[in-house]
Amino acid sequence: MSHYKMHLLVCAGTGCQSSQSGLIHEMLKDELDRKGLKEDVQVIKTGCFGFCERGPIVKILPDNTFYTEVKPEDIREIVDEHLIKGRRVHRLLYLDPETEEHILDSKKMGFYKKQLRIALRNCGIIDPENIDEAIGRDAYQALGMVLTRHTPEETIEIIKRSGLRGRGGAGFPTGIKWEIARRNSADQKYVVCNADEGDPGAFMDRSILEGDPHSILEAMAICGYCIGATKGLIYIRAEYPLAIKRLKIAIRQAREYGLLGEDILGTGFRFDINLRYGAGAFVCGEETALIHSMEGKRGEPSNKPPFPAARGYLGKPTNVNNVETFANIPVILLKGVEWFSSIGTERSKGTKVFALAGKINNVGLIEVPMGITLREIIYEIGGGIKGGKRFKAVQTGGPSGGCLTEKHLDTPIDYESLTAAGSMMGSGGMIVLDEDDCMVSVAKFYLDFIVEESCGKCAPCRIGNRRLYEILERICDGKGTGEDLEKLYNLANVIKDTSLCGLGQTSPNPVLSTLNNFPEEYREHAVDKKCRSGKCRNLLYYVIDDENCVGCMACVRVCPVNAITGARKQTHFIHQDKCIKCGSCMDKCQFDAIGLKSDYDRHTVSILVN
Amino acid sequence: MTGIKTLADLKRKQEEVRREIDLRRRAEEPDSLVQVKVAMATCGIASGAKIVMDLFVRELPRRGIEAVVTQTGCMGYCFAEPTVEITLPGKEPIVFGYVDAHKVDEIIEHYIKQGELVDGIIPQNYNTIAEPD
């Protein structure tokens, strides 16, 4: 039995590791060694705490002290002050932005108050590279229970009744998916874990795999038992090296313990898991494309039916679930259907993990019960908009999703409500935009991503999205017309209706939802040729400030296209129709009289010109 | 590593490792558990606070009490070191002075288990500018 009085948890997620948490961990161990505290204090590397905004995180238990932005040079102070003398190092504590007080107990932080961690239950609590810690927190208990006490049919029934739906995006009921895969008989079936997380700014699945890999292995084995499969495959992108490393360690340890392999827990059930690497293509998150990629073929989707549950990997029945979906399975089985289905809304049960990013104070990973509102997520958990700016929109569901605006702030979030609002749950990326963001540029950004990631198999997605992108580019360049807006709308709908796979069908969503929610911004870009946020460079204008201009003629002389007129000692004037926006005049002006503005005085200009 | 061949094996393994990481579970809900704070400043340590703390850490789980044992700085009662502050769920904290191995036993058996007060209580005779965390 251990006599550790304190546990030091150092975040070793990808975010914190990139800001030296590895070194911090080493130094803590060294320092404790030197101070003779090795026997009293245990130091563990854990998965993501979610509060990536202020990493690296060091948490001290049992007093729940939460140190943020810890640097290697702070280590000695933490050990001397906190561990030896029992005094917290106040300057490293999280400062509540509202009360301006240091928060001693992490449970009182706004970021954690509204969260409910089910899929992330072990992230930031256990050492993901040590199977014992996972076992101490109930890992493989659900598998043991299912294997010894329930038939596959009973287990599937439990999952069905829990109301768990796929967390990868579409929200298909997991129990039904398993049931279909079970019904199809074959000599071999496969369980596939979809860890191809492709949305820009999303890192939910990665964090679960990095922080609690055993929960996925266990759930895959349970799924194998339910559908009658003995082989599991995790399709993970090669750009997740840390997740791959921890998965490999977890699989090895589980095999050594006999929790994977032949005759698991003496029940005769056998199941093993291997990894398959993807090259990081967005389309491979679509299950048919994913299966093709695993078979060594091109990562292109194919028509459904046949569904993978009938003919999947190597032509055999295959059940594909997302990482987060799997992470929920063991808890549901252990804690029961009633518990799980009491969380969430009528049709969306449980919780959802979101990756908060963009113009928000607390960038990070959160898990909240379904039915929470966007306002709670953004203002309470996320701590509001950076720099006190105004909230404009939030893009959910990544490039396949859409944006939600102020009027959606109080809508309870679930699969249906997000779809009704013109977005989707998606895998859980949440990018917050503020008043400085140009919605046309945002749509263009996502479309650029789609054009890049389209596999090219079907024409609507391959060609249609390219044309959409060109129209947006034209509008942002100030060469758009009112007609373009109609074209955008029609083309987007054609792509939506005629594309082959889910990626294509949802690809115009960012355009459609921004068009619907911000029509006036599109109109300004295309017709008035102005961008209110000043993001579109070609829609900015060099304008002379009458008060500052002394009439020195410097700009008039330097302008290469003679777009500036004016006499000595009189205010000069830039003719926007001639201006090529080279910026020479602004560089030359010594009186700060020339500025780049999102609009110019059109009224005066028309009088002058006429 | 030895294999886990049956569900009973798995349960046994879980029991074994759970104790090691139990502190992390307990830390999630400190208010519902017995909280023990041992004053571990120079004066406390010199009078044997480390031994007292070790005793609490070892004895509480052994006697089946779910508790969170933390260390704190000097409480100011240097004359009565080692001092220990005990907070039972839902009750006001109580500070005990002159704690030794024998006293630890008495505190656990009488105060923590049965809520009976024992000798050696130091009345709290000051206010702090902020609510203690």
Side-chain angles (χ1 to χ4, degrees):
Chain A
M1 190 167 136
S2 97
H3 289 295
Y4 288 123
K5 293 190 202 98
M6 284 186 163
H7 292 204
L8 251 62
L9 311 181
V10 183
C11 177
T14 296
C16 287
Q17 280 214 342
S18 61
S19 37
Q20 293 187 303
S21 80
L23 179 65
I24 289 170
H25 174 253
E26 290 302 310
M27 288 180 63
L28 270 171
K29 289 196 103 150
D30 285 353
E31 188 67 20
L32 289 171
D33 209 2
R34 189 167 10 189
K35 297 271 155 66
L37 290 171
K38 212 166 59 170
E39 306 293 316
D40 295 331
V41 183
Q42 186 187 21
V43 189
I44 316 114
K45 284 206 257 187
T46 70
C48 185
F49 284 90
F51 203 54
C52 311
E53 173 76 24
R54 297 291 178 82
I57 307 290
V58 175
K59 188 171 175 182
I60 299 184
L61 300 180
D63 48 30
N64 273 325
T65 306
F66 197 84
Y67 288 132
T68 56
E69 292 177 345
V70 177
K71 292 184 192 61
E73 54 266 32
D74 299 326
I75 299 307
R76 185 165 288 187
E77 191 176 343
I78 292 178
V79 172
D80 285 350
E81 283 294 305
H82 191 142
L83 303 189
I84 297 179
K85 296 181 190 150
R87 292 194 290 241
R88 291 179 170 99
V89 182
H90 277 255
R91 68 183 171 87
L92 294 173
L93 290 171
Y94 174 67
L95 192 70
D96 189 302
E98 279 186 19
T99 58
E100 305 238 318
E101 273 172 21
H102 289 289
I103 295 190
L104 298 173
D105 186 337
S106 64
K107 296 183 83 67
K108 301 201 172 90
M109 283 165 61
F111 183 72
Y112 286 110
K113 262 193 252 167
K114 290 240 163 171
Q115 290 199 47
L116 177 64
R117 301 189 138 212
I118 297 177
L120 299 175
R121 60 192 176 279
N122 288 334
C123 286
I125 293 184
I126 61 163
D127 176 355
E129 296 181 10
N130 181 352
I131 189 171
D132 285 352
E133 298 219 329
I135 290 176
R137 300 264 306 177
D138 294 337
Y140 300 101
Q141 294 292 335
L143 176 65
M145 183 189 85
V146 165
L147 290 181
T148 52
R149 298 225 314 261
H150 293 303
T151 64
E153 287 82 2
E154 283 166 11
T155 315
I156 290 176
E157 193 53 36
I158 297 174
I159 301 297
K160 268 168 74 179
R161 280 197 295 130
S162 74
L164 176 67
R165 297 169 64 174
R167 297 292 192 248
F172 191 81
T174 308
I176 295 178
K177 204 171 191 177
W178 288 16
E179 194 171 44
I180 298 168
R182 170 157 189 88
R183 251 191 266 131
N184 295 314
S185 51
D187 54 338
Q188 180 60 268
K189 295 182 190 177
Y190 294 95
V191 175
V192 172
C193 173
N194 182 351
D196 189 76
E197 192 174 33
D199 296 12
F203 50 97
M204 297 77 56
D205 296 348
R206 193 195 73 207
S207 298
I208 294 173
L209 292 171
E210 285 175 3
D212 190 15
H214 289 286
S215 67
I216 305 302
L217 304 186
E218 179 186 8
M220 287 178 73
I222 293 170
C223 178
Y225 173 70
C226 289
I227 69 166
T230 56
K231 286 187 181 160
L233 295 162
I234 301 176
Y235 184 80
I236 183 164
R237 31 182 60 208
E239 60 250 54
Y240 279 2
L242 189 62
I244 290 173
K245 179 184 147 209
R246 295 207 174 134
L247 271 173
K248 280 186 177 164
I249 293 172
I251 292 173
R252 200 193 66 225
Q253 291 177 341
R255 280 183 190 150
E256 278 170 13
Y257 268 1
L259 295 167
L260 285 178
E262 302 290 323
D263 194 19
I264 294 171
L265 298 173
T267 57
F269 172 65
R270 98 190 136 89
F271 192 78
D272 201 14
I273 296 173
N274 285 293
L275 301 183
R276 289 285 182 279
Y277 305 127
F282 183 63
V283 71
C284 289
E286 198 280 339
E287 55 183 10
T288 59
L290 180 149
I291 288 167
H292 291 150
S293 170
M294 287 203 307
E295 290 168 336
K297 298 180 189 146
R298 292 179 74 150
E300 290 178 342
S302 52
N303 259 325
K304 294 196 268 192
F307 286 92
R311 272 218 321 272
Y313 183 61
L314 303 177
K316 305 293 182 186
T318 304
N319 179 71
V320 185
N321 281 133
N322 161 269
V323 172
E324 194 188 329
T325 315
F326 276 128
N328 277 290
I329 299 284
V331 200
I332 293 175
L333 292 169
L334 284 181
K335 289 205 164 190
V337 168
E338 283 69 31
W339 168 79
F340 187 78
S341 55
S342 69
I343 304 162
T345 65
E346 183 67 34
R347 297 181 60 191
S348 305
K349 300 296 183 193
T351 57
K352 180 77 194 84
V353 182
F354 290 104
L356 275 184
K359 307 281 181 58
I360 189 153
N361 279 319
N362 300 339
V363 167
L365 193 70
I366 63 165
E367 183 169 353
V368 287
M370 297 272 190
I372 195 171
T373 63
L374 267 182
R375 190 183 299 280
E376 287 170 285
I377 292 182
I378 293 170
Y379 289 96
E380 294 183 37
I381 299 172
I385 308 296
K386 264 208 165 98
K389 295 253 165 104
R390 245 177 85 94
F391 166 81
K392 186 167 192 178
V394 54
Q395 174 81 16
T396 64
S400 307
C403 66
L404 301 170
T405 60
E406 245 180 313
K407 66 172 187 275
H408 303 115
L409 273 180
D410 293 308
T411 316
I413 294 177
D414 65 13
Y415 289 100
E416 278 70 30
S417 70
L418 286 186
T419 309
S423 181
M424 65 189 269
M425 182 70 82
S427 59
M430 220 177 231
I431 298 178
V432 180
L433 307 168
D434 70 7
E435 54 192 326
D436 290 343
D437 287 301
C438 161
M439 296 315 289
V440 184
S441 302
V442 167
K444 198 175 85 171
F445 165 80
Y446 280 110
L447 218 53
D448 186 26
F449 179 85
I450 293 285
V451 167
E452 187 87 356
E453 294 290 342
S454 170
C455 75
K457 188 170 180 176
C458 71
C461 177
R462 181 185 69 236
I463 305 172
N465 279 319
R466 164 63 69 181
R467 294 288 97 83
L468 269 188
Y469 180 76
E470 285 166 0
I471 298 174
L472 285 178
E473 206 169 29
R474 202 153 68 217
I475 295 175
C476 288
D477 276 352
K479 295 174 187 141
T481 60
E483 252 171 55
D484 280 336
L485 300 183
E486 208 173 311
K487 271 191 206 157
L488 267 182
Y489 190 77
N490 291 336
L491 182 52
N493 277 313
V494 169
I495 297 170
K496 198 174 174 171
D497 294 340
T498 58
S499 287
L500 173 66
C501 77
L503 174 111
Q505 287 153 18
T506 54
S507 61
N509 276 358
V511 177
L512 285 172
S513 77
T514 45
L515 256 178
N516 285 333
N517 287 309
F518 300 94
E520 69 292 350
E521 240 175 272
Y522 273 89
R523 186 146 291 280
E524 276 172 15
H525 277 74
V527 181
D528 308 335
K529 308 276 184 278
K530 80 179 201 197
C531 171
R532 58 170 83 177
S533 58
K535 278 279 177 309
C536 300
R537 245 196 116 66
N538 283 328
L539 297 180
L540 292 179
Y541 301 94
Y542 286 94
V543 180
I544 294 178
D545 178 356
D546 294 353
E547 305 223 329
N548 286 350
C549 180
V550 296
C552 70
M553 299 291 284
C555 59
V556 177
R557 278 193 297 271
V558 80
C559 179
V561 290
N562 296 326
I564 308 178
T565 52
R568 186 166 291 280
K569 302 243 164 110
Q570 274 174 18
T571 308
H572 302 331
F573 181 78
I574 302 178
H575 295 264
Q576 299 298 343
D577 52 334
K578 285 188 189 158
C579 173
I580 57 164
K581 296 176 184 168
C582 66
S584 305
C585 52
M586 195 159 92
D587 291 342
K588 195 79 189 170
C589 180
Q590 295 182 1
F591 304 93
D592 279 342
I594 301 179
L596 208 47
K597 301 276 162 60
S598 60
D599 205 359
Y600 58 96
D601 187 352
R602 292 165 200 244
H603 182 66
T604 325
V605 171
S606 64
I607 296 170
L608 275 170
V609 171
N610 296 327
Chain B
M1 267 198 257
T2 53
I4 296 177
K5 298 205 172 58
T6 62
L7 185 56
D9 278 356
L10 180 64
K11 294 252 191 250
R12 211 170 305 126
K13 183 81 200 169
Q14 187 188 24
E15 276 310 307
E16 185 189 314
V17 289
R18 180 176 263 168
R19 274 184 232 128
E20 289 177 22
I21 61 164
D22 207 35
L23 184 132
R24 284 176 233 169
R25 183 182 57 80
R26 281 181 273 136
E28 283 177 26
E29 45 199 35
D31 295 340
S32 63
L33 304 173
V34 178
Q35 295 180 66
V36 178
K37 280 187 187 167
V38 183
M40 292 272 270
T42 312
C43 44
I45 294 169
S47 327
K50 201 161 161 23
I51 299 159
V52 168
M53 183 161 179
D54 284 341
L55 271 173
F56 274 114
V57 169
R58 202 170 60 231
E59 287 301 315
L60 288 169
R62 220 173 59 91
R63 301 187 193 188
I65 296 160
E66 292 220 80
V68 179
V69 184
T70 50
Q71 58 181 21
T72 180
C74 180
M75 296 189 207
Y77 313 113
C78 306
F79 59 94
E81 293 291 353
T83 50
V84 174
E85 183 189 283
I86 313 256
T87 315
L88 298 185
K91 293 207 176 150
E92 287 295 308
I94 288 186
V95 179
F96 295 92
Y98 305 108
V99 181
D100 56 10
H102 174 70
K103 197 85 196 168
V104 169
D105 182 63
E106 207 181 320
I107 291 173
I108 294 178
E109 289 304 319
H110 291 277
Y111 184 61
I112 296 182
K113 278 196 178 169
Q114 295 161 22
E116 294 168 8
L117 296 179
V118 294
D119 283 345
I121 294 173
I122 302 174
Q124 189 168 333
N125 51 9
Y126 61 90
N127 293 310
T128 49
I129 49 165
E131 275 295 305
D133 59 286

